[in-house]
């Protein structure tokens, strides 16, 4: 492992690409290796044991690529799989800490909403992370299990009646609780940012877990003195565990550009 090694990023599916998109802005000279467990997504309705077993396989695969930093760009893994950095002896961040710091600095009325998968909300991980920073902050959580399938199937239009109805239904209790800051606690959710912003109204600030995590990666690179010295833009290799048929189309939604090269399918159960 050296400063020329890549940053390893993984998610249960393609949601972590929202973090990759931001990483290419914050750290344009870094190479990235991305793994999306498209064959086993979603993780968010599975047990702690299963999610942890999957996460360990995902990390073992990325470690085989000689990475220098590990990012779990997945709210669910960050919430339930423990400290993967300690376990694998590598500088690490999940999405919790960077996002909790940002939300606690943003709120004005001390009322923060969190939306995430069912596993994330059941773990109360964001709530604990926020109240660790400031115990007086109030945190209101809501799981949104239909958001990941909507996004992975391309249902993302703010004017689509199905999308809007689902979003309104999930967010109603948070509006009632008068949150002024809302954490998009799953890395798939920034894709629904426009419709979530419409429904929450202009007085609520949205915190994008992918963006905050990418920003935190910049801090890790500086802290461990691991900046890639290359002058040209970094490369990005993509690995998934299911067939590649829909990858380009769906990845394009997350990255805002099409991806046709450096995409590979692997057998994650071998790791
Ligand atoms: N992007 C993942 C997360 O942040 C999606 C979870 C899932 O697979 O259910 O939680």
């Amino acid at each position: 492992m050296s400063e020329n090694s890549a940053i390893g990023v993984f998610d249960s599916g393609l949601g972590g690409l929202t973090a990759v998109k931001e990483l290419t802005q914050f750290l344009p000279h870094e190479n990235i290796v991305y793994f999306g467990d498209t064959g086993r997504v979603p993780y968010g309705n599975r047990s702690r044991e299963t999610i942890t077993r999957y996460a360990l396989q995902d990390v073992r695969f990325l470690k085989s690529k000689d990475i220098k930093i590990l990012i779990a760009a997945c709210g669910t893994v960050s919430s339930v799989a423990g400290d993967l950095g300690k376990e694998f002896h590598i500088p690490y961040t999940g999405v919790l800490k960077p996002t909790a710091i940002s939300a606690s600095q943003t709120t004005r009325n001390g009322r923060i909403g969190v939306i995430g998968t069912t596993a994330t909300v059941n773990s109360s991980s964001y709530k604990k992370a926020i109240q660790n920073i400031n115990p007086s902050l109030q945190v209101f959580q809501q799981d949104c299990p239909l958001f990941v399938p909507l996004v992975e199937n391309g249902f993302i239009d703010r004017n689509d009646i199905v999308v809007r109805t689902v979003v309104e239904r999930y967010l109603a209790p948070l509006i009632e609780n008068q949150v002024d800051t809302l954490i998009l606690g799953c890395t798939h959710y920034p894709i629904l940012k426009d419709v979530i912003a419409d429904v929450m109204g202009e007085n609520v600030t949205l915190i994008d877990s992918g963006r905050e995590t990418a920003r935190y990666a910049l801090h890790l690179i500086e802290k461990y003195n691991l900046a890639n010295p290359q002058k040209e833009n970094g490369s990005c290799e993509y690995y998934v565990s299911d067939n590649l048929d829909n990858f380009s189309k769906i990845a394009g939604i997350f990255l805002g550009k099409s991806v046709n090269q450096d995409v590979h399918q692997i057998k994650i159960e071998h790791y």
Side-chain angles (χ1 to χ4, degrees), residues 110-115 138-142 173-174 177 179 182:
R111 302 170 78 83
I112 298 172
V114 177
I115 51 175
Q138 282 184 278
V139 181
F140 302 90
Q141 309 185 91
Q142 176 67 50
L174 298 171
N177 280 312
V179 304
L182 178 64

Side-chain angles (χ1 to χ4, degrees), residues 9-14 34-39 43 238-242:
V9 184
F10 74 101
D11 179 40
S12 55
L14 301 185
Y34 182 83
F35 174 65
D37 199 358
T38 52
Y43 284 10
Y238 304 93
Y239 294 86
V240 290
S241 54
D242 202 359

Side-chain angles (χ1 to χ4, degrees), residues 33-47:
V33 179
Y34 182 83
F35 174 65
D37 199 358
T38 52
R40 304 190 295 199
V41 68
Y43 284 10
N45 50 8
R46 298 182 195 271
S47 68

Side-chain angles (χ1 to χ4, degrees), residues 1-268:
M1 191 258 275
S2 71
E3 56 194 10
N4 297 309
S5 305
I7 298 176
V9 184
F10 74 101
D11 179 40
S12 55
L14 301 185
L17 293 176
T18 56
V20 169
K21 185 177 176 200
E22 303 293 342
L23 274 174
T24 59
Q25 306 289 322
F26 286 115
L27 293 162
H29 303 295
E30 297 299 332
N31 301 324
I32 297 169
V33 179
Y34 182 83
F35 174 65
D37 199 358
T38 52
R40 304 190 295 199
V41 68
Y43 284 10
N45 50 8
R46 298 182 195 271
S47 68
R48 177 178 289 267
E49 291 71 30
T50 302
I51 295 166
T52 303
R53 182 160 52 82
Y54 286 177
L56 295 178
Q57 288 178 316
D58 301 346
V59 180
R60 273 184 225 119
F61 165 69
L62 283 177
K63 283 276 281 184
S64 75
K65 296 286 165 193
D66 185 38
I67 55 169
K68 61 182 177 185
I69 284 186
L70 173 67
I71 300 179
C74 177
T76 309
V77 167
S78 310
S79 296
V80 309
D83 189 341
L84 296 167
K86 233 184 214 160
E87 194 151 348
F88 287 91
H89 309 288
I90 185 165
Y92 164 75
T93 184
V95 302
L96 286 182
K97 186 174 167 190
T99 309
I101 293 171
S102 174
S104 59
Q105 289 168 348
T106 301
T107 183
R108 299 165 306 277
N109 71 358
R111 302 170 78 83
I112 298 172
V114 177
I115 51 175
T117 65
T118 303
T120 296
V121 165
N122 284 347
S123 75
S124 289
S125 55
Y126 281 102
K127 188 171 179 174
K128 288 176 196 156
I130 290 165
Q131 291 181 337
N132 224 355
I133 296 167
N134 181 350
S136 72
L137 295 174
Q138 282 184 278
V139 181
F140 302 90
Q141 309 185 91
Q142 176 67 50
D143 62 340
C144 306
L146 292 177
F147 280 9
V148 169
L150 280 177
V151 169
E152 295 256 339
N153 288 288
F155 280 76
I156 56 170
D157 185 343
R158 75 200 298 174
N159 297 315
D160 185 305
I161 181 80
V162 174
V163 177
R164 192 162 272 270
T165 306
V166 173
V167 171
E168 280 173 355
R169 178 92 172 253
Y170 282 139
L171 299 187
L174 298 171
I175 294 171
E176 192 139 305
N177 280 312
Q178 297 175 333
V179 304
D180 74 348
T181 303
L182 178 64
I183 290 179
L184 310 182
C186 165
T187 47
H188 280 72
Y189 297 180
I191 300 298
L192 297 171
K193 213 183 225 169
D194 289 348
V195 59
I196 292 172
D198 282 353
V199 171
M200 292 307 292
E202 59 187 10
N203 293 328
V204 176
T205 307
L206 305 185
I207 309 287
D208 175 336
S209 52
R211 186 175 173 78
E212 297 309 326
T213 305
R215 199 203 306 272
Y216 193 79
L218 172 63
H219 156 77
L220 281 182
I221 290 273
E222 284 167 358
K223 178 174 168 191
Y224 293 100
N225 216 359
L226 283 171
N228 193 317
Q230 69 182 339
K231 294 277 172 288
E232 57 274 21
N233 279 349
S235 60
C236 195
E237 283 169 37
Y238 304 93
Y239 294 86
V240 290
S241 54
D242 202 359
N243 69 48
L244 305 175
D245 290 353
N246 278 326
F247 178 84
S248 232
K249 185 168 149 241
I250 304 290
I253 295 173
F254 286 97
L255 292 167
K257 62 172 190 196
S258 58
V259 190
N260 296 310
Q261 52 191 15
D262 271 333
V263 187
H264 315 270
Q265 184 179 354
I266 59 147
K267 292 197 187 318
I268 191 64

